[in-house]
Amino acid sequence: QECADVLPQPFQVKVHPQLPFLVEFHAALAKVEIIGVLGGKFVDGTLFIQSALPCVAMESGGTDVEMDSVDLIRVLSILQKHDLSFVGW
């Protein structure tokens, strides 16, 4: 039995068409692991992902990256100014 038959997704996800390009561009420019925040809105059973903002990473080593807490506050305030919510990273 397929998973979708057992537990259907509780909401739809729609991504702004420019976001994959922006995220890929950011990743291609970096020589180290990157981190960022996704911003969007949840409306009538659909999650609209509308923004991707890069964040400053703390020194960690390897492939583990931690987001700088001060920069996270800065990025969250940008989302708030645009009436968006933090929806992922």
Side-chain angles (χ1 to χ4, degrees):
Q1 199 172 28
E2 292 187 29
C3 183
D5 293 336
V6 177
L7 186 60
Q9 183 173 327
F11 55 89
Q12 289 187 329
V13 177
K14 296 193 177 191
V15 178
H16 190 284
Q18 293 177 347
L19 282 184
F21 170 75
L22 291 173
V23 171
E24 179 65 29
F25 186 69
H26 176 215
L29 292 177
K31 296 184 192 276
V32 295
E33 190 84 15
I34 61 168
I35 194 163
V37 166
L38 298 174
K41 294 182 179 185
F42 191 77
V43 180
D44 297 328
T46 301
L47 174 60
F48 293 93
I49 302 176
Q50 299 168 288
S51 176
L53 300 170
C55 295
V56 173
M58 296 175 57
E59 293 292 325
S60 58
T63 57
D64 297 333
V65 176
E66 281 191 48
M67 193 177 304
D68 180 78
S69 58
V70 174
D71 198 48
L72 176 60
I73 292 169
R74 178 190 67 81
V75 169
L76 292 177
S77 70
I78 292 170
L79 290 177
Q80 186 178 28
K81 285 178 187 177
H82 291 91
D83 196 30
L84 298 173
S85 300
F86 173 88
V87 298
W89 67 93

